[in-house]
Amino acid sequence: MSVTGEYLAATIQDELGVTLWTNKALFKHVPTRQISEKEIGQVALPTVSGENNEGMLEGAFEEDQDEEDDTVVAPTIEQLSSELTTLSLARKNILAPKQQAEVEDDGKSRITKVEKARFEEVLSSKLQAGAATGTYDEFIEHLKSLSPSSADLELRSLSIGDGNEGSNELLHFIRALTARLKARRDYELTQAWMTVFLKLHFDVVMESEDLLAALSEWKEYQEKECSRLDGLVGYCSGVVTFLRNPRT
């Protein structure tokens, strides 16, 4: 391909010579839209005289045909493959839960004790269900659906329980984020949640051997994934730099 992007020289399998292709966008408007499979077809090789004695430039300036409204809607898939690390589709303001601000109205907080208890009950039930099955998807989706203030309230409500593994919500939360890292999903969201979690419960975590062990496991997977992403980003950056070099 030429440096300016006007021409493309290529050889065709089982054909003699070198074919030159021009960028059609230089001569006419080329709409950018997603196409369906039925629109994909074989392209005839360029000729000197053109097809039916029509010159190449005349073909480039042919009248535009009415385009059919054949818009193809791409399916929404959160993760194309388990081998790919995906970012979260959540709103940006969810990535940094803010400290819950209680707004006083006539001496009463807008967040009542009943509402707070309801939030904690929903969070605890989904977290316990995930711990029992080993799948925390429902808990993660619930946390992603909350506003920053509600997410902060949920994280603050986590408790160590009676000290045993079954009632230790802090332990289950760390395992939930570890499972998300293993699945390579919501990468930046798990980092943000873990940061807030440690700010809120750092003292409790440091006093519990079980929590420290779970946190060490999370750190191990986090470092592996971070190293893998750094390698992939570096490789892609090198390829792009090589392709952009005009001397190649």
Side-chain angles (χ1 to χ4, degrees):
M1 177 179 291
S2 62
V3 178
T4 59
E6 297 181 39
Y7 305 102
L8 173 66
T11 58
I12 309 299
Q13 184 178 2
D14 299 329
E15 296 289 341
L16 298 177
V18 177
T19 58
L20 294 177
W21 302 80
T22 57
N23 189 349
K24 189 176 181 180
L26 299 175
F27 304 99
K28 59 184 297 185
H29 171 67
V30 178
T32 56
R33 63 182 179 87
Q34 188 173 2
I35 62 175
S36 60
E37 293 186 1
K38 67 180 182 180
E39 294 180 89
I40 301 176
Q42 295 183 350
V43 179
L45 296 178
T47 61
V48 177
S49 60
E51 296 182 1
N52 299 325
N53 296 324
E54 183 184 54
M56 295 179 65
L57 290 179
E58 294 177 359
F61 286 102
E62 63 184 0
E63 296 182 0
D64 296 337
Q65 298 179 354
D66 295 336
E67 299 180 9
E68 298 180 358
D69 186 9
D70 191 18
T71 304
V72 179
V73 180
T76 302
I77 303 177
E78 289 192 2
Q79 189 177 33
L80 296 176
S81 170
S82 59
E83 299 297 323
L84 300 176
T85 296
T86 60
L87 302 181
S88 172
L89 299 178
R91 301 186 303 273
K92 291 184 178 180
N93 59 351
I94 294 181
L95 301 182
K98 301 178 181 179
Q99 183 176 0
Q100 176 64 42
E102 294 186 358
V103 181
E104 299 295 332
D105 184 12
D106 297 332
K108 295 182 180 180
S109 174
R110 292 183 180 179
I111 300 180
T112 64
K113 294 182 179 180
V114 176
E115 291 174 336
K116 183 178 180 181
R118 179 174 58 84
F119 280 135
E120 295 177 358
E121 182 180 358
V122 173
L123 175 75
S124 179
S125 62
K126 293 184 180 297
L127 191 57
Q128 293 291 342
T133 60
T135 303
Y136 296 92
D137 291 346
E138 187 176 352
F139 167 74
I140 294 295
E141 293 302 323
H142 167 69
L143 204 55
K144 288 166 62 176
S145 66
L146 301 177
S147 64
S149 58
S150 298
D152 180 84
L153 181 63
E154 295 275 29
L155 295 181
R156 289 177 182 274
S157 68
L158 296 174
S159 66
I160 199 171
D162 299 333
N164 56 54
E165 182 175 337
S167 61
N168 194 337
E169 296 177 345
L170 302 182
L171 178 62
H172 297 324
F173 181 81
I174 296 176
R175 289 177 176 175
L177 297 190
T178 303
R180 213 62 176 176
L181 276 179
K182 292 180 180 179
R184 295 176 177 174
R185 297 177 60 182
D186 302 325
Y187 179 76
E188 85 290 5
L189 198 56
T190 58
Q191 310 300 312
W193 282 340
M194 181 57 75
T195 300
V196 177
F197 172 81
L198 291 178
K199 287 182 179 180
L200 296 175
H201 305 286
F202 178 78
D203 294 338
V204 179
V205 172
M206 294 302 296
E207 295 176 356
S208 172
E209 294 183 0
D210 292 338
L211 294 179
L212 287 175
L215 189 61
S216 297
E217 182 183 7
W218 176 88
K219 182 181 179 182
E220 178 183 355
Y221 281 99
Q222 194 275 335
E223 289 178 346
K224 288 182 179 179
E225 192 62 18
C226 182
S227 177
R228 191 181 74 90
L229 288 178
D230 286 342
L232 291 175
V233 171
Y235 173 79
C236 293
S237 177
V239 172
V240 171
T241 302
F242 174 79
L243 295 177
R244 292 179 61 183
N245 190 341
R247 289 178 297 180
T248 60

